[in-house]
Every structure is written in structure tokens, then in C-alpha cells.
Amino acid sequence: MEEKVKVALVQLFEEWADDKVIETEILPQSGSYREYIRLVGEKRTVIGAYNADKKENKAFLTFSKHFASKGLSVPEIYAEKEEEDIYLLQDLGNTTLFDYILHLRIGEGFANDLVLIYKKIISQLVRFQLEGENGLDYSVCYPRDSFDKQSMIWDLHYFKYYFLKLAKIPFDEQLLENDFQKFSDYLLDAPRDYFLYRDFQSRNIMLVNGEPWFIDYQGGRKGALQYDLASLLYDAKADLPQQVRDDLLDFYLQEIQKVQKVDAKAFTSFFQGYVMIRIMQAMGAYGFRGFYERKEHFLKSIPFALRNLEIILQRIDLPIEVPELVKALRSVIASEFLKEVGKDDKAKLHIEINSFSYRRGIPLDKTTNGGGFVFDCRAIHNPGRYQEYVEMTGKDQPVIDFFKEKSEMDEFLASVYHIVDMSVDKYISRNFANLQVSFGCTGGRHRSVFSAESLAKHLKEKFDVNISLRHIEREIEGS
């Protein structure tokens, strides 16, 4: 984020909130060019956004206000400066549905808690599609106000040029174009007078106190009911078991029937087709971001997409013949090149280091491998007991000096380094992917923060590893 944009967002926050920014955090970009920063004030925390695409901004801001008026769980818009392409919105924290899936997945199964959350999400999806559609100003939709023939052909060409061609999949150009036309005409026969969220997937759903909230709907438009459900259930790296998908499809049909009569057989037939076009659209994105823009983490979704594609091709029974399209998709599944893409045999060990408060509980292990350590820092002399350090953290120099001069911290950390180093050496030699180390204390602000910072510095200097560092109590205070 450019400094002038950051300054403008800080100024907008301080003018709107009558508060002073004391901390900022640049948030990582995902698949878009929008930029986000967390602004932490003395009284509250918000997210600042910058997007040079004015039309996309207008769509997002208009939709947000409309959905909020319907009681849907979307972030509140606090302030905006249209001429500077910036706005402030509610901070929903850091936990996406995708993060939660990593926490709760059990082996090859699927945790009951996750099924319940998905059912909550599906119930809200029905509300977006029907209640959200009522009175929505579709004139602000961007780039089109309907998922129509043009939109579908764009997606299919995206798949052709950025995935098939870059992955060197052979096909007959004219025959494939003929199938694209026939396939899109078939999908257009489904009723399409509903709000289509467009990117309804696990990274665009936040969990706040166990309840789903929704973001990134600026690409919304009119469309068929099936598309968003396909996006949710066949989200590549979410990797839902097929039986769970089938059960959730049945649940969706029960929910939609409560408010509108739907032919379940016809719905399901179209649903399979919309799963196909959604997978192809996603693969186009993986190809563009991964093969073309060289963003490797997008390539890691390809193996999951291949499995989804194989499943749907085994099950689909379209009333039309699209032989060249099916042939190309089967070639995608069989491609030895694509089977190797996304594999990360030479990846560096990733070490997640956390500080936390025991009052909130020990952090969950996202990888579910159960590896790692939790160190209790509460035996160390606590600077938080002294008034001059209460408002500080383990990153502030006076607190650092306290630990160096008036505590047992050096001895404690020497033991930690010895134990953790042994594991890091072994994990690297055995090509393990993840290690988690957490430090806990009473308040999660002084001893645990200093310990986490110190271990991160030590490991960066000694090993060639990737490290992520989280101070969980700071995140909670900022929410």
C-alpha cells in the first residue's frame, strides 16, 4: 500500500471516529487488486480499503448498504471518500470459514460442527438470493447486471486461454467453441431472476463468534440459484467430502422450498451444469494467477479442482452433447503435468508462533497434525504487575529492558530454543510441513509476546524456514 493511501485512510479514520490511530496492520491481498489495512485506534478498530476501480467500489458500497437494510450479516460501511477511492468498514476479525475448516477437519471425515456452520451459511444464502434481490439496484452491477450469455462465454474463454492453453491441453478450437455456445445456452434455461453472489466461497465468509458474516459480493448480479451453491459446495481447497455435499444440497432444497416452490429434479440437473462452469471459472483464475502471474499459492488449488472435476464428470448427465468440452476436461484430469502442479515437496517448513492469554484458551492447531509446543510463561516475573508497563506489550523497549534486567526470561528462552531447535532440525530432515509453537501468559500482552518475538528472531537467524507470528490477544482487543 502506498504511503499516501495509508495516510489518507488514517486521516479518514481519525476524522470519522474522533480517535487516534495507534497501530496499523497491512492485510494480505488475495485474488483481487484491492488493498486493506487494519487501523487500530485507542477506542476501536476498523478496516480501511483502497480500490482504484471506482465502479467496483460503487457496487460494493451500494450492495453493502442494501444488504444491511435487509438484516443480512455484512460489514457496516462507516465512511467513504469516493474521489480518493477509499472507505472504512467493520472489522470482522481474521477467521474465515476456510481457516475454521482447517481447524476442525477430522482425518478424511468432516466435523459435525462444520456441517452445522454450513447449514447456517446455506440458510443465509437463500436470504441473499431472495430477500437480498428484492429492491436491489442492479444498475450498479459490475461488470454486468446478469450472469448471462456474455458472462458465461467470458468465463469459458478465461478457462480456455488461461488454463487449457497454459497447461498445454490439446483441443479443437472450433469444436470447443461450438460446445461453449451449446453449454451456455443450456444453462440459460434455468430460472435466473435471483441475486447471484458470484464468489460465494470459504474465503469470503467470516466467522464471528461462531456466526457467518459475508464479504466480497461486489461481483454480484442477477442469475440462477444453482451457481452460488455450486461455488460453496465445490470450493476447491475447502475439499468437502462428496457425501457432505450431497447432504447439504438436500438441505438447501429444504430451505428454498420454505419460501419458494422449486422443482427439485430440474434444480439438481441444472446444478451439475453450474458446478461444471464454476469449476472451469475457478481453474481459469488459478491459471491466470498461478501460471501467468506466477503466484504459486493459486497453483496449490489445482489438485483439489482436478478431484472435483473428476467427481462431477462421473456423475453428470446433461441433456445435451458437448463432446469436445468433455474430451478437454478428461484431458485435464489425465494431465501428468497438472498432477505435479501444486505439489510442494521442496517447500520450507512453516512454523506458526503464537502468543496468547490463558483466559482465552490455547490456540487451535490449524494443520490438525497435533505437532508442536505450548510454553507457559506465567512463572516469569511479570511486568504487567507494575503500573508503568500496564499499557505496554512485550514489543515495547521498556518491557524488553525489564525482561533483560529483572526476570528469568533469558534462562527460560534458552531452554525453549534448545527444545524447539531439536524439533525444527528433525522436521526439516523428514520434510514435515508445519510446526506450531505457542506461548501463554495471564494477559497475553507481555511475557508471551516477548517470548514469541524472541523465538521468531532466533529461528529466522538459524534456519531456512517460513515463519508466521500472531499475537492473539492483540487481535481480540482490536476486534
Side-chain angles (χ1 to χ4, degrees):
M1 178 174 284
E2 292 185 12
E3 186 63 25
K4 66 178 181 179
V5 174
K6 179 179 176 181
V7 169
L9 283 165
V10 168
Q11 183 178 359
L12 181 59
F13 171 85
E14 293 183 343
E15 290 173 355
W16 164 77
D18 191 24
D19 195 0
K20 182 176 178 57
V21 171
I22 58 174
E23 187 176 331
T24 63
E25 177 188 359
I26 303 295
L27 302 184
Q29 285 182 276
S30 53
S32 75
Y33 299 111
R34 294 182 299 279
E35 298 178 59
Y36 296 102
I37 183 171
R38 176 171 281 117
L39 302 169
V40 181
E42 295 176 343
K43 304 172 187 175
R44 63 188 305 162
T45 300
V46 305
I47 299 298
Y50 166 74
N51 182 11
D53 193 326
K54 294 182 182 296
K55 290 184 177 179
E56 192 174 73
N57 287 342
K58 186 171 185 179
F60 176 74
L61 296 170
T62 301
F63 288 169
S64 294
K65 294 167 188 176
H66 174 77
F67 293 145
S69 74
K70 300 288 184 178
L72 292 163
S73 297
V74 298
E76 183 178 353
I77 305 300
Y78 295 135
E80 57 192 274
K81 277 193 176 181
E82 181 180 350
E83 66 280 7
E84 296 184 45
D85 304 320
I86 59 174
Y87 52 91
L88 305 178
L89 66 159
Q90 184 179 357
D91 186 356
L92 300 177
N94 294 319
T95 304
T96 65
L97 172 62
F98 180 71
D99 294 330
Y100 200 70
I101 289 170
L102 293 182
H103 284 181
L104 290 189
R105 187 182 298 284
I106 301 175
E108 294 300 316
F110 209 68
N112 287 334
D113 284 353
L114 275 171
V115 173
L116 294 176
I117 287 173
Y118 266 89
K119 287 183 175 180
K120 288 182 179 181
I121 290 165
I122 286 172
S123 296
Q124 291 298 307
L125 172 59
V126 171
R127 291 192 60 205
F128 272 99
Q129 292 175 325
L130 299 179
E131 294 177 45
E133 193 280 333
N134 187 23
L136 185 66
D137 180 5
Y138 284 101
S139 71
V140 303
C141 289
Y142 178 68
R144 294 182 73 81
D145 63 3
S146 173
F147 191 59
D148 54 9
K149 176 87 169 181
Q150 182 67 71
S151 298
M152 292 181 186
I153 294 299
W154 280 346
D155 281 358
L156 294 169
H157 283 171
Y158 193 42
F159 169 67
K160 180 175 74 172
Y161 291 116
Y162 285 109
F163 194 86
L164 292 182
K165 285 186 176 289
L166 294 181
K168 299 179 174 60
I169 301 297
F171 58 87
D172 183 299
E173 188 104 27
Q174 186 58 62
L175 292 179
L176 188 62
E177 280 297 318
N178 294 344
D179 283 356
F180 282 171
Q181 296 296 324
K182 189 184 299 183
F183 182 55
S184 56
D185 285 341
Y186 163 67
L187 294 179
L188 290 170
D189 286 339
R192 296 182 297 112
D193 291 326
Y194 308 96
F195 176 72
L196 188 150
Y197 195 108
R198 179 58 171 165
D199 200 18
F200 197 74
Q201 45 95 355
S202 61
R203 289 174 176 80
N204 289 339
I205 300 170
M206 309 297 296
L207 292 179
V208 183
N209 298 322
E211 297 299 319
W213 285 66
F214 303 89
I215 60 173
D216 282 4
Y217 33 74
Q218 59 278 340
R221 62 199 75 177
K222 274 186 181 287
L225 296 169
Q226 289 89 344
Y227 187 91
D228 285 334
L229 186 63
S231 301
L232 179 69
L233 300 188
Y234 286 82
D235 181 6
K237 288 184 75 174
D239 198 26
L240 274 65
Q242 189 58 43
Q243 185 58 56
V244 172
R245 289 174 176 148
D246 293 341
D247 292 344
L248 291 174
L249 172 58
D250 289 341
F251 178 77
Y252 175 88
L253 288 169
Q254 294 170 21
E255 289 295 288
I256 197 76
Q257 296 283 15
K258 292 177 182 178
V259 288
Q260 179 167 311
K261 187 175 180 179
V262 170
D263 182 331
K265 184 177 180 181
F267 182 95
T268 304
S269 176
F270 281 116
F271 177 71
Q272 304 299 331
Y274 275 100
V275 170
M276 275 184 64
I277 196 171
R278 174 61 184 183
I279 291 175
M280 286 188 279
Q281 186 276 334
M283 283 182 158
Y286 304 151
F288 177 69
R289 301 295 187 186
F291 295 135
Y292 184 74
E293 293 191 332
R294 305 293 183 185
K295 296 179 179 178
E296 290 191 9
H297 66 280
F298 283 94
L299 300 179
K300 296 183 187 301
S301 294
I302 290 178
F304 298 96
L306 294 180
R307 288 205 296 270
N308 286 345
L309 187 58
E310 186 170 16
I311 289 169
I312 201 65
L313 286 179
Q314 290 170 352
R315 297 161 63 95
I316 198 165
D317 183 21
L318 294 176
I320 57 170
E321 296 292 329
V322 283
E324 189 66 18
L325 175 56
V326 171
K327 178 183 173 183
L329 294 177
R330 294 200 185 283
S331 296
V332 166
I333 295 169
S335 168
E336 293 300 323
F337 166 71
L338 290 174
K339 289 176 182 177
E340 295 301 313
V341 169
K343 287 187 178 179
D344 208 7
D345 295 335
K346 297 180 180 179
K348 295 179 184 178
L349 173 66
H350 176 254
I351 304 174
E352 176 188 322
I353 303 176
N354 302 307
S355 70
F356 70 96
S357 164
Y358 273 100
R359 294 176 300 185
R360 311 274 190 182
I362 297 172
L364 292 169
D365 171 26
K366 293 181 180 179
T367 67
T368 71
N369 64 23
F373 304 93
V374 178
F375 293 104
D376 187 345
C377 305
R378 290 175 293 184
I380 298 167
H381 193 187
N382 183 13
R385 295 167 53 189
Y386 302 93
Q387 188 60 41
E388 61 265 37
Y389 304 115
V390 168
E391 298 300 322
M392 298 181 184
T393 75
K395 296 171 68 173
D396 292 313
Q397 192 59 47
V399 175
I400 294 171
D401 294 340
F402 178 96
F403 286 131
K404 296 291 185 183
E405 300 166 6
K406 302 176 183 178
S407 80
E408 313 84 351
M409 182 63 79
D410 285 346
E411 182 182 355
F412 170 76
L413 287 176
S415 299
V416 169
Y417 296 163
H418 178 69
I419 294 172
V420 174
D421 286 356
M422 289 175 61
S423 286
V424 173
D425 272 327
K426 185 65 69 174
Y427 275 38
I428 291 174
S429 69
R430 297 184 64 184
N431 292 320
F432 286 2
N434 299 283
L435 175 66
Q436 184 184 66
V437 183
S438 298
F439 294 91
C441 62
T442 306
R445 291 175 53 84
H446 299 97
R447 294 166 290 184
S448 60
V449 169
F450 178 82
S451 298
E453 292 280 338
S454 299
L455 179 63
K457 183 174 184 292
H458 167 79
L459 293 176
K460 285 178 183 177
E461 292 174 351
K462 186 169 182 178
F463 298 99
D464 184 20
V465 293
N466 291 322
I467 293 175
S468 61
L469 181 60
R470 293 180 64 205
H471 298 306
I472 294 173
E473 186 66 20
R474 175 72 268 180
E475 293 176 4
I476 294 170
E477 289 179 347
S479 64

